[in-house]
Amino acid sequence: MASYLLVHGSYQGAWIWKPTAQKLREAGETVYVPTLDGCGERSSAIRPGITITSQAREISDMMFYEDLDDVILVATSTGGLVVCVAASMSRERVSKVVFVDALAPQPGEKVTDIVKRNPNTPRVTTDLTEGPSKEELEERLFGELDPELKSWAVERVTMHPIEAKDQPGALDEFWAQDWSTTVVRCKMSANPPLDHQRRTADKLNATWHELDAGHYPMLSHPDELSDILLGLK
């Protein structure tokens, strides 16, 4: 039986998928929404050694221990890196990979080669984590959300494990295989840029969808996004 496994990105947790997961469940679907190690409600467990691969292993282990098959594996933002690695670890369990405004670096490519930020924008950095300031969250990242939803989201943001961004060679196995894929591009989002998402779709021969949304359609456009996901079965 097909199920959905939704993977969040940086500064997020399972909470980012809440409105969309609810729509999928209301449609009778089985939905899993993990929070990655060091993120969200697990941010108190931050420590050295949390990487793309260690987070991907958690996703792979979830598929094993929950006896999941025919999984529609959905990623957003930097969750794309984790999903690529997790899919390779559990190839026989994954039926489709979906990139929702997500990153999928090519071998040898870094996130910083793709995502362009204003170098003057303040960042919050510690020895183990990094992330945006509250001002950047309110004015740019969550700028399109209505005030109540924006406040709810900002309160839940946590800094991201600093080692869980780039890991040389981690995605090579993913790109060496064929996958059934879908790319959902959000037209109001600057990052990941259009050319990156088009390249992902072209290289994977993916189905292409666009939403008139910013980087967080799972919050701002749950009806439209869930309709796309439901149409993949």
Side-chain angles (χ1 to χ4, degrees):
M1 179 179 176
S3 57
Y4 293 87
L5 203 166
L6 314 179
V7 179
H8 66 80
S10 296
Y11 329 125
Q12 305 163 17
W15 60 267
I16 199 81
W17 287 105
K18 187 174 182 179
T20 297
Q22 181 177 339
K23 294 292 182 182
L24 294 172
R25 288 170 178 143
E26 287 173 355
E29 301 299 333
T30 301
V31 185
Y32 294 84
V33 194
T35 290
L36 299 174
D37 193 9
C39 303
E41 70 273 17
R42 302 178 66 192
S43 60
S44 61
I46 192 68
R47 63 196 181 282
I50 298 176
T51 66
I52 295 165
T53 297
S54 68
Q55 291 180 333
R57 174 54 63 189
E58 290 190 327
I59 301 301
S60 178
D61 286 349
M62 172 178 276
M63 288 188 270
F64 172 77
Y65 286 108
E66 295 289 343
D67 291 316
L68 302 184
D69 291 301
D70 197 16
V71 175
I72 300 172
L73 192 52
V74 186
T76 188
S77 195
T78 57
L81 286 79
V82 176
V83 157
C84 287
V85 180
S88 298
M89 290 176 173
S90 298
R91 182 68 180 88
E92 72 284 358
R93 297 181 182 274
V94 176
S95 62
K96 291 181 174 64
V97 180
V98 184
F99 298 97
V100 180
D101 223 39
L103 288 155
Q106 296 289 304
E109 191 174 38
K110 297 180 179 180
V111 170
T112 51
D113 297 330
I114 302 164
V115 175
K116 303 304 179 185
R117 293 194 181 100
N118 183 339
N120 298 318
T121 301
R123 303 287 288 177
V124 179
T125 305
T126 71
D127 290 342
L128 296 175
T129 64
E130 67 85 28
S133 66
K134 185 176 181 181
E135 291 73 23
E136 186 181 9
L137 288 168
E138 292 177 337
E139 295 173 11
R140 188 178 69 82
L141 296 181
F142 293 135
E144 68 155 339
L145 302 181
D146 66 65
E148 184 176 355
L149 184 57
K150 180 191 298 186
S151 177
W152 180 86
V154 169
E155 288 176 351
R156 284 158 176 76
V157 165
T158 50
M159 299 299 99
H160 199 68
I162 206 162
E163 295 179 76
K165 282 291 178 78
D166 286 307
Q167 192 175 349
L171 275 66
D172 290 4
E173 185 177 350
F174 175 84
W175 286 110
Q177 301 181 61
D178 293 325
W179 302 91
S180 175
T181 54
T182 294
V183 172
V184 182
R185 185 222 167 195
C186 297
K187 294 194 288 185
M188 294 170 59
S189 174
N191 285 307
L194 171 60
D195 59 351
H196 173 76
Q197 297 192 64
R198 275 292 185 194
R199 185 186 65 181
T200 299
D202 290 345
K203 286 186 174 293
L204 294 170
N205 195 27
T207 304
W208 179 266
H209 294 272
E210 290 188 335
L211 289 174
D212 289 317
H215 191 52
Y216 303 97
M218 63 291 299
L219 291 179
S220 62
H221 293 68
D223 291 324
E224 294 89 336
L225 180 55
S226 60
D227 283 347
I228 291 172
L229 296 177
L230 290 168
L232 300 178
K233 293 189 68 176

